[in-house]
Amino acid sequence: MATKKTTTAKPRAKATTASAAKDREHLGTGGELHQLAGVDSPALTTAHGHPVEDDNNSLRAGDRGPTLLSDHVLREKIFHFDHERIPERVVHARGYGAHGVFENYESLSDLTRASVFATAGKKTETFVRFSTVAGNLGSFDLARDVRGFATKFYTDEGNWDLVGNNIPVFFIQDAVKFPDLVHSVKEEPDRGFPQAQSAHDTFWDFASLMPESTHMTLWQMSDRAIPRSFRMMQGFGVHTFRFLDAAGASTFVKFHWTPVLGMQSVVWNEAVKINGADPDFHRRDLFDAITAGDFPQWELGVQVFDDAFADEFDFDVLDATKIIPEELVPVRPVGMMTLNRVVDNVFAEIEQVAFMTQNVPPGIDFSNDPLLQGRNFSYLDTQLKRLGSTNFSQLPVNAPRCPVAHFQRDGHMQTSTQPGRAAYEPNSFTGADRGPREVGPEGHVPFPAPVEGVTRRVRSESFADHYSQARQFWISQTDVEQDHIVDAYVFELGKCDVLAIRQRMVANLRNVDETLATRIADGLRMRLPDPSPAAAPLVETEPSAALSILANAKETFEGRKLGVLVGDGATAAAVSRLTKGVEKAGGTVDVIAVAVGGATLSDGSTLEADHAVAGAPSVLFDAVAVVTGPDGGSALADEPAARDFLTDAFTHFKVIGLAGDTDALVAAAGLDGKLDDACLPVGTAAEGKAFVARLAGPRKWDRSLTA
Ligand code: HDD
């Protein structure tokens, strides 16, 4: 049957269109296998620039004879290929990044002399890499894991790398435990699995033996660890840093990134399925948004406080397993970062970007947080190991945008031709002045913190309370979020074969909250163990609304995606109304049909689909609609993937729109008599409008899922 495209609506997602356009730029028109003289594309050359006669056939003696060693073109090509991989990052191997710009709101010169914060409206280029921690380079995006949120600010006084996470606390207090932590969560060394997950014995063995990790495991078991999008998660510098003003005076500071789109996560069952349906879910989401011109933004905020606050605070501000509640020290917004450019080459930029916590410009300095101090040793080594040369700072993504002047010379892959006779300092050959050059207080002057005490391996007593803030996190969550935390512990501990590990972990959690521990023990069908001894008495804490995702949910569908499953006989108007409404609300729409060729609409035209339903389960969308005609409904009901589409959307508490004869599909999806007030009709213009308005609201969290 001949098909034609509708003229009324081809409601393609903006993102799809934009990324497809980018693809087309690079495709060219050629399809011929051999290099042909006279075509527009330039002739291939070797890496040394010699034009290649034929890139498709190696040099051989006789048409069917052996390949010759003298084929240096072949040799060079294979040689390069054999060396194309570099060691992946030992943690945060899987990541994705983009370029952007940070714009400062107002001068912070009363707090810091950092040039990035010097004046209102000052713009500084940035590069951000988001990552999961535990998984290997080829793992999937929706692992339950902490997300890295590393930002390189190319300031005019050198690069500032704010190498943070989407969770404001960390598992351990001292960097000396970092290799142990990472070894415990990575695949077990005697079997090579499981990768990209903490749900196994060794991780929980370590966590249960290191009570200081308890607070972080609550965050990790919360929905923070399964974000809907990089664009919808917070970022934190985690440690306490110092701001230094022009006179060298210090203020403590913690850094916060807040997503303009609001925070949002998926549910666990959804995450598991997303990993199968689209392991690249987060990177695709970021790429699509930026190429569509929907530039994601995060507001940078600071919590600043002085020594007096630090001295009075119930916890040690140098302890990275603790937050400073926003109720005590409000977050002051200081600027906005916009990611506005995808990379041109993933390897050159995302893989080769080298973040280092010790990269701070004048005006920003470290505290004595032992985790931060240890990190400052680590990052330089890892970059040399990964990138293979001390000259990694010359790679375009790492190179400062400001001038550099030093006498470090030579080394592997030296790409700059450093002129001049002198490669030492002081010297009388460079610059107008002879002798040592010093910028003095204009340079990076470390805070002159007094140091006292004896040298010994010790953990300060002020770090001993491992449970109070874990409890604060727990009591700050909504009921739905508490349910998710319990479910996550039950799932993860249920994956531990060793009963003693489950018991030890629950024993620790009894110090956090009895209800939490009891619910987990019940979920595991386990006797409640005695609480483990706590190293310090609990401090009373108040719930902090800032710690909940749902309590801070933003009423919007901006940046979100509606999946419309279209059956034969649907009206073009119903689909295009949804598309227009959602796009007006800042979202995107993908059209799904039984086959990617599309659905036949009521007027006989064909609406091309973005996806076949078998390849686009509802987990890929924030909300769904099914729009069909009188006959299309039963055809959808016969399609297993269409049934799952609806069942899953319902089970994941999503808002659902229905138009046309959807009864057979609803019944086949097992939802007869179950549809609730978040399952809305979308057949008429008024219904479509009400549905789009509802999309801005939360999922239907109180939906009954019982049989
Ligand atoms: Fe780390 C990478 C964040 C503690 C050692 N870390 C890395 C990345 C992020 C973080 C986001 C990925 C950077 C990128 O995208 O290239 N790390 C953190 C946070 C920590 C932390 C928020 C605690 C607050 N890290 C930490 C410690 C050590 C390291 C205590 C070592 C003592 N981290 C590394 C590393 C990595 C790294 C091995 C691996 C790849 C890399 O550095 O470039 O050096």
Side-chain angles (χ1 to χ4, degrees):
M1 184 181 72
T3 58
K4 67 182 170 69
K5 266 184 139 177
T6 71
T7 44
T8 39
K10 172 61 195 83
R12 276 194 171 275
K14 274 189 287 174
T16 313
T17 315
S19 51
K22 185 174 157 70
D23 289 346
R24 275 196 300 275
E25 280 170 28
H26 301 289
L27 279 178
T29 51
E32 174 55 55
L33 215 77
H34 292 259
Q35 275 291 302
L36 296 179
V39 294
D40 287 344
S41 51
L44 294 183
T45 69
T46 64
H48 299 273
H50 315 121
V52 174
E53 171 211 11
D54 172 357
D55 178 58
N56 295 299
N57 301 292
S58 52
L59 194 66
R60 54 183 75 106
D63 289 2
R64 301 178 63 244
T67 300
L68 297 178
L69 201 57
S70 54
D71 186 351
H72 64 89
V73 175
L74 167 72
R75 162 101 172 96
E76 183 204 80
K77 190 172 175 181
I78 301 291
F79 155 81
H80 191 277
F81 175 76
D82 288 339
H83 295 84
E84 277 173 10
R85 288 291 168 272
I86 61 174
E88 65 176 39
R89 289 164 172 83
V90 59
V91 277
H92 298 268
R94 182 169 179 79
Y96 205 68
H99 297 271
V101 63
F102 173 77
E103 185 166 353
N104 187 44
Y105 290 158
E106 57 180 326
S107 171
L108 298 187
S109 56
D110 55 326
L111 292 171
T112 173
R113 54 144 306 191
S115 70
V116 61
F117 298 120
T119 50
K122 170 137 189 169
K123 290 186 179 166
T124 302
E125 282 182 61
T126 59
F127 185 84
V128 176
R129 185 174 181 274
F130 302 107
S131 48
T132 51
V133 180
N136 296 335
L137 187 60
S139 55
F140 35 84
D141 280 353
L142 253 295
R144 176 177 292 284
D145 201 352
V146 182
R147 297 298 183 288
F149 189 139
T151 309
K152 193 179 280 290
F153 296 77
Y154 302 94
T155 90
D156 39 33
E157 289 189 307
N159 292 348
W160 173 31
D161 292 353
L162 184 57
V163 194
N165 281 340
N166 75 330
I167 288 179
V169 289
F170 203 62
F171 292 103
I172 48 169
Q173 298 171 324
D174 188 319
V176 72
K177 298 311 296 169
F178 190 69
D180 301 295
L181 164 72
V182 174
H183 290 170
S184 80
V185 75
K186 282 273 185 181
E187 55 270 43
E188 298 180 14
D190 64 344
R191 58 204 69 184
F193 59 84
Q195 71 135 339
Q197 51 190 306
S198 51
H200 57 120
D201 285 286
T202 56
F203 173 73
W204 288 104
D205 187 31
F206 179 82
S208 62
L209 292 167
M210 295 288 292
E212 70 199 52
S213 66
T214 311
H215 185 195
M216 177 87 163
T217 68
L218 266 120
W219 286 80
Q220 182 200 4
M221 293 305 106
S222 80
D223 297 342
R224 301 263 175 172
I226 40 174
R228 154 68 177 87
S229 161
F230 295 138
R231 301 179 292 140
M232 296 168 203
M233 62 185 204
Q234 289 182 304
F236 302 92
V238 181
H239 310 281
T240 296
F241 291 86
R242 285 181 188 277
F243 268 159
L244 301 179
D245 70 12
S250 155
T251 318
F252 288 123
V253 57
K254 277 188 176 258
F255 296 102
H256 295 239
W257 290 112
T258 305
V260 168
L261 289 177
M263 276 187 279
Q264 194 177 313
S265 289
V266 299
V267 295
W268 175 240
N269 180 273
E270 195 181 3
V272 169
K273 292 174 177 172
I274 290 173
N275 285 331
D278 185 4
D280 305 313
F281 188 70
H282 281 155
R283 54 178 60 191
R284 188 189 308 280
D285 170 88
L286 189 69
F287 180 91
D288 280 352
I290 297 175
T291 50
D294 292 336
F295 300 146
Q297 293 187 305
W298 288 261
E299 186 168 66
L300 184 68
V302 294
Q303 283 181 299
V304 288
F305 54 96
D306 56 16
D307 288 279
F309 172 86
D311 292 342
E312 281 164 24
F313 185 47
D314 282 331
F315 307 95
D316 198 323
V317 299
L318 303 182
D319 175 356
T321 68
K322 306 296 187 298
I323 57 162
I324 297 180
E326 294 180 24
E327 289 74 14
L328 293 184
V329 181
V331 177
R332 171 178 167 188
V334 295
M336 183 70 82
M337 177 168 69
T338 307
L339 294 187
N340 54 16
R341 185 160 62 87
V342 294
V343 297
D344 289 318
N345 184 279
V346 170
F347 181 85
E349 297 167 90
I350 298 170
E351 196 57 19
Q352 293 201 121
V353 66
F355 291 98
M356 301 198 296
T357 47
Q358 64 273 36
N359 269 349
V360 288
I364 299 176
D365 203 7
F366 313 111
S367 69
N368 283 341
D369 174 343
L371 193 71
L372 176 58
Q373 299 269 323
R375 289 179 78 187
N376 287 345
F377 293 130
S378 178
Y379 288 73
L380 189 59
D381 284 327
T382 211
Q383 308 313 350
L384 176 62
K385 174 75 184 166
R386 285 194 320 113
L387 301 169
S389 160
T390 52
N391 291 318
F392 67 84
S393 60
Q394 295 177 11
L395 294 169
V397 71
N398 296 325
R401 304 289 192 260
C402 63
V404 293
H406 55 74
F407 291 104
Q408 287 145 24
R409 288 287 184 271
D410 309 341
H412 279 297
M413 296 296 160
Q414 176 59 256
T415 57
S416 76
T417 306
Q418 297 164 307
R421 191 168 168 190
Y424 56 89
E425 174 75 4
N427 73 71
S428 40
F429 294 97
T430 55
D433 299 326
R434 298 153 58 116
R437 281 173 293 181
E438 289 159 1
V439 284
E442 295 293 298
H444 189 279
V445 184
F447 180 67
V451 177
E452 58 184 30
V454 295
T455 305
R456 62 187 179 126
R457 296 188 185 279
V458 70
R459 189 77 56 94
S460 167
E461 271 304 310
S462 54
F463 283 39
D465 177 354
H466 303 316
Y467 298 119
S468 299
Q469 282 207 348
R471 177 176 173 74
Q472 181 180 37
F473 182 76
W474 167 252
I475 60 174
S476 303
Q477 304 303 307
T478 60
D479 289 350
V480 171
E481 290 169 304
Q482 287 194 341
D483 290 348
H484 292 178
I485 291 172
V486 170
D487 290 348
Y489 274 112
V490 170
F491 175 87
E492 297 253 329
L493 294 175
K495 291 277 181 184
C496 296
D497 299 332
V498 180
L499 178 62
I501 293 175
R502 287 182 228 153
Q503 285 172 329
R504 202 188 300 131
M505 197 59 215
V506 177
N508 289 352
L509 290 170
R510 285 195 71 178
N511 292 310
V512 176
D513 186 88
E514 283 293 352
T515 312
L516 168 68
T518 309
R519 288 181 63 186
I520 296 170
D522 287 350
L524 292 165
R525 295 271 167 93
M526 188 182 101
R527 191 185 57 78
L528 196 62
D530 292 336
S532 54
L538 236 64
V539 170
E540 201 160 321
T541 52
E542 296 294 319
S544 163
L547 303 182
S548 156
I549 297 177
L550 293 184
N552 293 286
K554 200 167 173 180
E555 289 265 313
T556 184
F557 201 65
E558 200 183 340
R560 277 70 166 176
K561 210 181 223 187
L562 176 72
V564 184
L565 175 59
V566 182
D568 288 341
T571 62
V575 181
S576 73
R577 272 197 301 263
L578 288 181
T579 306
K580 283 191 192 131
V582 166
E583 287 183 355
K584 201 163 157 217
T588 51
V589 174
D590 276 6
V591 170
I592 303 138
V594 169
V596 74
T600 306
L601 299 180
S602 58
D603 61 4
S605 64
T606 296
L607 179 64
E608 216 180 273
D610 296 294
H611 317 274
V613 67
S618 59
V619 293
L620 301 182
F621 307 101
D622 297 281
V624 300
V626 180
V627 181
T628 187
D631 304 326
S634 47
L636 290 178
D638 288 341
E639 174 63 40
R643 300 200 292 260
D644 288 350
F645 185 88
L646 201 56
T647 313
D648 272 351
F650 189 83
T651 310
H652 300 145
F653 310 98
K654 289 177 182 171
V655 175
I656 296 171
L658 296 165
D661 180 14
T662 54
D663 289 354
L665 178 64
V666 168
L671 302 179
D672 236 356
K674 291 187 175 177
L675 300 185
D676 51 35
D677 61 2
C679 304
L680 299 165
V682 291
T684 68
E687 289 167 350
K689 206 169 163 194
F691 173 74
V692 172
R694 174 63 183 83
L695 291 179
R699 292 193 190 192
K700 175 72 179 163
W701 291 118
D702 60 355
R703 175 172 285 162
S704 166
L705 299 183
T706 49

